[in-house]
Amino acid sequence: MTASIVVPALSARSVSVRLGDALIVDSVDLDVPSGQITALVGPNGAGKSTLFDCLSGALPAESGSIRLDGRDVTRSSPDQRSRLGIARTFQHVSVFPTLTVEENLRVGAEHRENLQLLRALFRGRRADEPRTPEIVESVMQRLGLLGLRHERAQGLETSTMRLVEIGRALCTRPKVLMLDEPASGLDDAESDRLRALLLELASEGLAILLVEHDLTLVGEVAQHLCALDHGQVLASGRSAELLALPDLVSLIGGTRSRRAAR
Amino acid sequence: MTVTLNLALAGLGIGAVAALAGLGLLVTYRATGVFNVAFGAIAVFAAYVNWALAVRNHWPVGFAALFTIGLLCPVLGFVLDRFVFRSLRLRNAGPAESIVASLGVFVLLIGGVTILWGRQTRLDAPSLVPRRTLRLGGDVVVRLDVVVDVAIVLILLLALLVLERTRVGMLARAVVENRALAELTGVRADRVSSLAWALGATLAGLAGILIAPLVRLDPFGLTLAVLETMAVVVIARLTRPLWVVGSALALGVAQSEVTRLHLPGALGAVVSALGTNLFVVALIAVLLIVRRLEDAQRPDAGSTVGLATRGDLPTPRYWWLPATTVLAVPLLFSRESLVTAQRVPALAIIFVSIVLVTGYAGQLSLGQAGFAGLGALITAKLANGSMPFAGQIPSLVALVLAVVSAALLGFVIGWPAIRRRGLFLALATFAIAAVASKFVFDQPYFTNGISVPTLTGFRSARMFYLLELMCLGIALLAVQNHHRGRLGRSLQAVRDDERGALACGVNVRRLRVWTFAVSSGLAALGGALLSVSDRSFDATAFDPIIGLIWFAAVVVFGIDSATSALLGAALIVFLDSVHSDISSIVIGVAAVTVGFLPGGLLYTVRRVAVRLTNNVVGAEFAGRRAAVAGEPSLRLSPAGREIARRLR
Ligand SMILES: Nc1ncnc2c1ncn2[C@@H]1O[C@H](COP(=O)(O)OP(=O)(O)OP(=O)(O)O)[C@@H](O)[C@H]1O
Ligand SMILES: [Mg+2]
């Protein structure tokens, strides 16, 4: 493979996050290049989800800077970052339980611009954006959700909910997609489909950041790898090279067998 | 110097009572996680029972108090725990549901007091301690009861601080931290809760009996006086007994010192109100200004999902028929009944404003009475020409201006208030209503000689009723537009899962403030119409306590259904026309059972109907409900519950 120079879509420089008295993320550097998949790995409690929260704006960074396409977003709110092109899913599935699958995706699709509240107050449904249905339709088609569009999210199986959550993230038309353990709760066939989807999305130019305990899956999809422990970067670089180091793998404490993944 | 000292000593009396009430609230909250809004009502109930026994039945004062504090209150606390809050606990219900349940207890107790002893003010509340003063040297004097009250508080504080370090205290904390785990290690968690409830109720009762002779006995005023002392618990961040006592005594003294100031005009009115209401000002100041308050709360403290319908029953085909009928029938009434019925659309508008802010947007807002009252007052003042800097304005225009200015005010206040979630937002909005009531509605400076206009062109009872229906129609349209389309979806998303909504780019804060403002405007509209139909501006009609009753009513009928709110308003007006306090009893009973009626009365009826007509749908429905609650539908042992919690 030839090394290519890629501009990172999302980059974090010495980002730290403090929760209570503890420094949970400790000056982490991370680059997430477009068109490629970057895996974030580490043992339980390493601070991966906390770093996610910080990158997506749910938690403030104590220090450091976060850039999206060269633009400083360190101080932006989570909804601003979403509008700028950072989309994410959560480790504990987060869908809107009382909305249908289609409505879940619509919420994702229709917030690129702020809502015109006065118009919505007087015009109701007629104030909706005309482009939304197309976007939602194409994402549902791609994820195979068309048959479930009118189901309420609360009754769905976990794996389907994960899919809805990813779909919702895709509907925001992101530049960077951050997935927190998307394969957990999926069976073999489902995670095969997930893998295919991830590769396809990356080939379309999306920058993907992936938290995953299943190192087999990581090895198959990710070009880059960043290993985190106690909030610090242990190692980062080409995933093929890093995964060849047995010490690192055992330190990460990840699983090799897909079934053993959480 | 002497005056200062004397005032300070006098202020210690109120401070001590506030400390007692606050400690009771704190004990219950820390041991059970329930912020017992009903503590004010328990205090007032105890004060009334004590008064009835001592004054009406001529029991010896000490004996009456002993019976009330020693027997009645602990039993009441125990009963509340056993029959109201335990079932909520077992269901792992959210804080919103426990707030509503304690509001139910509140409404029930206040309703009981007004039915048994009437609403009039009584000045003969018995004092436990002989009315004597002690001379401390020079002209410095202190009343004996103040000395006794402060002594009680200090002894109690000491006892609590010691208790915290003993086994019982540790057990109590263990139960709150992690109930299932505590049970696993052999703690009888239910006993700890019962004990805490009994103790909390006893302290509330004691506070009520002590404060009654200092203020006076009337069901709303005294309740509010006790409720205002919540400030000290919030200042103590719901955790520190020492802070409760310290801030209570300090506020009591400060409040007493304020009475020295006499200023003319509007400022004077405000300052004189400060002299009796410093606590509520402290409450609102802490809630609006202090940045980090949420630490003490559970992370899901903002969730009102437990109150809402699941939206999983099909909409019945003729859903609009009952409400339309109820609204249309009064047009056939005689003039006199029609005038009574005029309250229905006005109240319905206030109710749908609660549906909007709490049902659709998921924010616990207890302050609608304040905005309703402001709407009424501003309309009247503008139409009278008694508003400063404004001439006389046609009454319909005045109405519109009042609605707009209430919405703007909601916007301005909403901005800081909306940072709060769940319990603290509920308290902040309640404090807003209390401030509006104490500092504006109750001040002769603002309300003297106010005459409520009839609306030009809508003078006859029938025309006015039609106008009300028109306003209701507009309000319903506005509220419905918050329940469909993009706006509706966004609000529902925020209510379901706030971080998910943020991750989708929904500007949550902007939506929150917006709905708060719109619902304030609607409440003002309803309040203005209410006062026009009453033909007078009556401060007690917009008492914050009434606001609490309204809120409980809307939850009982169905927090996220405008139709339910409408029918509820009609039912309340009807019950009130039969007997003035029946409605609060009905609402109270229903609110106490909120644990068994998720989604409200109407929704429960529909659910039962669906289940009876179609068992298959019923079964499917039950399965879905279990999935929403995030709980597996099987019963778990304490160990199993802990494992399930870990896994989640
Ligand atoms: N509010 C908090 N205050 C203090 N520490 C916290 C808080 N929330 C999380 N932590 C700690 O932060 C650390 C990192 O948690 P995080 O969820 O980011 O880990 P993770 O790498 O995602 O682990 P996992 O693989 O289990 O998902 C954990 O040790 C956790 O105990
Ligand atoms: Mg994690």
Side-chain angles (χ1 to χ4, degrees):
Chain A
M1 242 192 275
T2 52
S4 57
I5 299 170
V6 269
V7 184
L10 182 72
S11 74
R13 287 288 163 270
S14 56
V15 164
S16 300
V17 181
R18 188 180 291 279
L19 291 176
D21 294 331
L23 201 58
I24 306 292
V25 173
D26 189 356
S27 27
V28 165
D29 290 329
L30 180 71
D31 284 325
V32 187
S34 294
Q36 300 188 352
I37 298 179
T38 309
L40 184 62
V41 296
N44 291 131
K48 306 181 293 292
S49 299
T50 310
L51 180 60
F52 254 49
D53 283 346
C54 177
L55 294 176
S56 69
L59 284 176
E62 191 189 46
S63 60
S65 72
I66 300 164
R67 286 173 174 278
L68 176 69
D69 271 348
R71 173 177 175 162
D72 192 344
V73 294
T74 319
R75 304 254 163 275
S76 309
S77 63
D79 51 306
Q80 270 171 335
R81 288 187 214 193
S82 160
R83 272 175 258 136
L84 289 172
I86 300 182
R88 70 167 292 186
T89 66
F90 295 85
Q91 184 170 356
H92 299 277
V93 191
S94 138
V95 290
F96 307 125
T98 64
L99 295 180
T100 63
V101 168
E102 182 178 3
E103 287 168 335
N104 262 280
L105 300 204
R106 273 184 163 233
V107 174
E110 61 197 356
H111 284 279
R112 284 305 277 271
E113 268 93 52
N114 253 326
L115 192 60
Q116 304 256 311
L117 288 167
L118 271 178
R119 250 185 86 197
L121 173 64
F122 292 115
R123 297 178 57 88
R125 204 172 281 147
R126 283 165 297 162
D128 284 4
E129 277 186 20
R131 273 193 58 215
T132 313
E134 283 169 43
I135 301 164
V136 170
E137 211 68 23
S138 70
V139 172
M140 279 198 299
Q141 171 123 43
R142 173 168 214 171
L143 299 183
L145 290 171
L146 281 172
L148 297 171
R149 62 193 308 164
H150 297 304
E151 291 289 315
R152 270 174 212 286
Q154 60 199 18
L156 301 175
E157 298 191 10
T158 316
S159 55
T160 321
M161 284 201 202
R162 290 219 176 270
L163 219 51
V164 172
E165 206 188 0
I166 294 176
R168 194 177 76 187
L170 286 178
C171 279
T172 65
R173 286 149 282 163
K175 293 172 188 148
V176 182
L177 178 64
M178 312 201 310
L179 305 171
D180 199 346
E181 303 196 18
S184 79
L186 267 54
D187 64 24
D188 276 2
E190 286 163 341
S191 62
D192 282 344
R193 272 177 53 205
L194 176 72
R195 185 177 37 189
L197 176 70
L198 292 182
L199 290 172
E200 198 181 303
L201 289 171
S203 73
E204 288 166 18
L206 198 61
I208 297 180
L209 180 65
L210 177 72
V211 170
E212 187 49 66
H213 281 284
D214 179 353
L215 295 184
T216 315
L217 180 62
V218 168
E220 283 164 359
V221 299
Q223 284 90 347
H224 305 278
L225 187 134
C226 173
L228 214 59
D229 192 17
H230 294 294
Q232 289 174 326
V233 178
L234 280 185
S236 70
R238 302 282 287 271
S239 67
E241 290 163 20
L242 289 177
L243 288 175
L245 304 173
D247 284 355
L248 189 74
V249 170
S250 67
L251 199 69
I252 294 167
T255 44
R256 276 261 171 210
S257 107
R258 203 173 296 154
R259 279 186 199 283
R262 294 208 321 155
Chain B
M1 184 60 208
T2 320
V3 179
T4 311
L5 215 55
N6 276 336
L7 278 175
L9 287 172
L12 282 178
I14 289 284
V17 175
L20 275 180
L23 287 176
L25 199 53
L26 193 79
V27 166
T28 315
Y29 180 78
R30 289 196 60 186
T32 66
V34 174
F35 192 86
N36 179 22
V37 188
F39 83 106
I42 296 176
V44 172
F45 184 68
Y48 264 92
V49 170
N50 184 47
W51 164 83
L53 292 177
V55 176
R56 286 225 170 141
N57 297 359
H58 307 292
W59 290 24
V61 173
F63 196 58
L66 197 66
F67 170 80
T68 316
I69 302 168
L71 189 64
L72 185 72
C73 288
V75 169
L76 181 63
F78 180 79
V79 168
L80 290 180
D81 176 61
R82 184 67 190 75
F83 297 105
V84 179
F85 292 96
R86 186 177 291 181
S87 68
L88 289 176
R89 216 154 50 219
L90 290 178
R91 285 199 311 122
N92 228 334
E97 280 160 280
S98 27
I99 291 180
V100 169
S102 60
L103 268 180
V105 175
F106 180 99
V107 173
L108 201 55
L109 285 175
I110 296 290
V113 166
T114 50
I115 282 196
L116 287 174
W117 296 296
R119 288 196 184 190
Q120 65 270 46
T121 304
R122 299 173 195 279
L123 298 171
D124 54 346
S127 174
L128 274 188
V129 185
R131 289 173 194 267
R132 275 185 42 208
T133 51
L134 302 178
R135 186 170 292 275
L136 298 182
D139 286 333
V140 179
V141 291
V142 58
R143 298 211 321 264
L144 185 60
D145 55 329
V146 170
V147 178
V148 173
D149 293 356
V150 173
I152 294 177
V153 168
L154 293 182
I155 292 169
L156 205 84
L157 176 66
L158 203 68
L160 273 185
L161 290 179
V162 171
L163 195 68
E164 281 206 336
R165 282 164 216 286
T166 62
R167 219 178 97 77
V168 179
M170 255 169 52
L171 292 187
R173 251 175 304 162
V175 169
V176 179
E177 290 283 322
N178 190 332
R179 182 167 205 95
L181 205 60
E183 277 171 354
L184 212 55
T185 55
V187 179
R188 302 284 299 270
D190 279 336
R191 264 198 212 167
V192 174
S193 315
S194 296
L195 200 70
W197 269 98
L199 185 56
T202 307
L203 290 181
L206 183 59
I209 290 180
L210 292 177
I211 200 176
L214 296 181
V215 191
R216 65 210 156 140
L217 216 48
D218 80 296
F220 287 5
L222 187 58
T223 311
L224 189 56
V226 179
L227 276 183
E228 288 186 3
T229 61
M230 287 188 298
V232 298
V233 185
V234 176
I235 291 175
R237 306 282 163 90
L238 307 179
T239 44
R240 306 168 190 142
L242 204 61
W243 286 40
V244 167
V245 175
S247 57
L249 294 180
L251 280 173
V253 169
Q255 179 171 289
S256 182
E257 298 290 345
V258 170
T259 54
R260 293 171 74 178
L261 294 174
H262 294 287
L263 297 170
L267 197 61
V270 170
V271 168
S272 85
L274 268 184
T276 45
N277 297 288
L278 197 62
F279 282 91
V280 75
V281 176
L283 181 61
I284 210 168
V286 173
L287 286 171
L288 293 190
I289 296 164
V290 175
R291 282 193 70 87
R292 301 173 63 106
L293 267 184
E294 325 293 328
D295 311 6
Q297 285 196 52
R298 277 166 55 169
D300 62 344
S303 172
T304 55
V305 170
L307 297 177
T309 57
R310 317 297 188 225
D312 49 4
L313 289 184
T315 314
R317 192 167 316 146
Y318 297 108
W319 60 270
W320 45 269
L321 197 61
T324 324
T325 315
V326 165
L327 288 173
V329 162
L331 286 170
L332 309 172
F333 286 178
S334 67
R335 208 193 97 82
E336 202 175 320
S337 313
L338 183 56
V339 167
T340 309
Q342 281 175 351
R343 293 180 63 90
V344 175
L347 200 57
I349 293 176
I350 297 178
F351 280 14
V352 295
S353 81
I354 299 176
V355 168
L356 171 61
V357 73
T358 306
Y360 293 166
Q363 310 171 68
L364 286 177
S365 173
L366 305 181
Q368 299 308 83
F371 290 103
L374 283 176
L377 190 62
I378 297 174
T379 308
K381 288 205 123 194
L382 283 174
N384 284 337
S386 56
M387 186 70 110
F389 313 116
Q392 190 160 4
I393 292 173
S395 48
L396 275 180
V397 181
L399 180 66
V400 174
L401 283 180
V403 171
V404 172
S405 47
L408 287 178
L409 191 70
F411 190 83
V412 173
I413 299 177
W415 196 251
I418 238 65
R419 265 207 321 248
R420 302 290 172 229
R421 297 271 179 289
L423 175 61
F424 283 130
L425 178 62
L427 294 184
T429 49
F430 175 76
I432 291 169
V435 165
S437 165
K438 287 295 166 191
F439 287 80
V440 183
F441 309 158
D442 277 355
Q443 293 302 320
Y445 178 83
F446 294 110
T447 53
N448 249 5
I450 279 278
S451 70
V452 171
T454 50
L455 298 175
T456 336
F458 299 92
R459 290 227 161 80
S460 80
R462 184 141 306 151
M463 283 309 284
F464 178 65
Y465 188 76
L466 286 173
L467 173 74
E468 284 190 309
L469 288 186
M470 218 170 70
C471 292
L472 178 61
I474 296 171
L476 283 175
L477 197 69
V479 170
Q480 273 324 91
N481 279 344
H482 285 76
H483 202 44
R484 58 186 176 202
R486 188 177 162 196
L487 180 53
R489 267 192 300 277
S490 321
L491 283 177
Q492 218 167 328
V494 172
R495 194 188 71 179
D496 276 3
D497 185 345
E498 189 178 328
R499 26 164 235 172
L502 280 169
C504 287
V506 180
N507 193 335
V508 172
R509 186 153 182 196
R510 184 161 166 267
L511 276 185
R512 283 226 156 98
V513 177
W514 166 262
T515 43
F516 194 74
V518 172
S519 106
S520 306
L522 288 179
L525 177 62
L529 293 177
L530 204 57
S531 73
V532 175
S533 71
D534 285 350
R535 309 231 158 7
S536 68
F537 177 83
D538 177 8
T540 56
F542 302 109
D543 195 283
I545 307 293
I546 297 277
L548 294 183
I549 299 178
W550 286 344
F551 182 85
V554 177
V555 174
V556 161
F557 291 115
I559 189 69
D560 55 357
S561 154
T563 322
S564 299
L566 240 151
L567 293 174
L571 183 65
I572 287 179
V573 172
F574 171 72
L575 289 175
D576 279 342
S577 71
V578 176
H579 184 292
S580 66
D581 293 303
I582 287 282
S583 65
S584 41
I585 297 284
V586 173
I587 295 165
V589 169
V592 166
T593 57
V594 70
F596 308 101
L597 310 170
L601 281 174
L602 192 65
Y603 185 71
T604 308
V605 169
R606 282 175 53 202
R607 210 172 58 199
V608 170
V610 165
R611 217 176 260 184
L612 288 180
T613 53
N614 186 346
N615 268 322
V616 183
V617 176
E620 186 194 7
F621 171 77
R624 280 189 184 170
R625 252 211 70 198
V628 181
E631 298 286 340
S633 44
L634 60 160
R635 286 184 169 260
L636 291 174
S637 66
R641 242 187 285 161
E642 172 57 18
I643 291 167
R645 197 190 64 83
R646 291 262 172 98
L647 287 180
R648 235 185 290 140

